[in-house]
Amino acid sequence: MAQISGHEWVKPFRNLMKIQFNYLDWSGLGELDSTRSSFARIVYFLYKIWIITTMFIFAITLFADICMNVDNLSIATDDGCIFAGIFVVIFKAMNYQIRRKEITKLLDDILKCADDLCRLSDVEYVKEIIETYQLYNKVIFHGFSALGVVLGVALLFFSPEENDLPIRAQYPFDTAISPWHEIGFGIETFAVCGGLLGIIAMDSITVTMCSYITALFYILNVNFENFTNETTRDADRISDKYRCENVEWDGKKSNNTFLHRYKTYLRLHQRLVFVTNDYNKTYSSSMFVQMLSSTSMICLTGFQAVVVGGQSSDIMKFGIYLSAAISQLLYVCWIGNELNYSSSVLDRSLWLSGWHHEHLTNIVQVFTLSTMSSRQSITLKAGVFYVLSLQTFITIIRRSYSVFTLLNNMHATNV
């Protein structure tokens, strides 16, 4: 994980990220650090290979069952619900393995921005913003953890009595007899448990980083708006020690207190823009697959829970699955909406910064350039087709309902 030292206000965020990375390690999709023994790293590597292999086998057997029962809408949609879920887990797991160094660097950059901004903003309202978003992240993380446990129990133990295994799948052997039954059960158990633990960890890390970027944009807005309330002692805190390392506005240290603070916060804004761009490069493909998977899971689980499910165990299982899919999509779109809003109101905050009290010769050029750059739209992207927002959430729900209606009509025709 990233550095463990930093500003006191950021420590709860670091602790939460540490727990989330521990989840990732337990799922078998993480990476042991170099401080562990060679034996431990070898054992963990074998464990990772086993978890990833079981997920691939599970996905292949599910897809085979879909192909063999493509004419049976009930079975095909049943398998399709689970296949959509395990596919997005595998894709995100592979993305993490490929981009692990980029994700670590991204987290380090976010933490450094947070440390610098907190040091420059040693006031109570900034601490309140951080605590508010920290509370959001903790509630969401523990809520998804509890939902993951319930979903895992429902998938593995609330299966129809006629199935030999918890989840339907086509294996190249008879799973009704021993030891093939135990092998099939083991594959599904490891795939489901590892997949759920992994998706909770990966999604929590993803949205927590985005949530913290959003909080930093809000802090910037509040700082700009409160420039006129700052005292001259605040300029002393904005020392060279905490200035952005590789960025200079004009190569000179300003003697103007307001202008000094103004330029320093503008540098932090540019760093946050670069961090957000790196975030999109790292997670855009995963978000796009998430959108497609969520659309499939919502319509298929809704179809299973409302139309096909004839047993109470089916309704419970797919009801929980549907709740997990909707809540996961809603939070990702909500935090994307928050990020867009917090960055879009920066030009308003710049206008309220009290710049008009300064001599125009000192501030006009800097203010003009800053308002032009602040109008740049900061959004979370899912490929080239989606921008994560509440409008996107509503669009996906509508499309899912349209597919649900189509499946319902096809089912009614066949019956």
Side-chain angles (χ1 to χ4, degrees), residues 256-280:
N256 184 293
T257 301
F258 177 91
L259 198 56
H260 189 182
R261 293 199 307 259
Y262 195 89
K263 290 180 179 180
T264 302
Y265 285 125
L266 288 178
R267 295 186 188 102
L268 278 167
H269 172 253
Q270 290 303 310
R271 288 172 63 185
L272 286 177
V273 172
F274 294 147
V275 165
T276 307
N277 290 337
D278 290 340
Y279 183 96
N280 279 325

Side-chain angles (χ1 to χ4, degrees), residues 120 234-244 253 260 264:
L120 300 175
D234 297 320
D236 297 331
R237 287 204 314 272
I238 309 178
S239 61
D240 291 334
K241 180 179 179 181
Y242 299 135
R243 300 179 83 185
C244 306
K253 182 175 179 180
H260 189 182
T264 302

Side-chain angles (χ1 to χ4, degrees), residues 76-86 296-297 300-301 304 318 321:
T77 54
D78 188 347
D79 292 340
C81 298
I82 312 300
F83 180 78
I86 196 65
S296 302
M297 286 190 289
L300 294 178
T301 52
Q304 282 288 325
F318 289 109
Y321 205 75

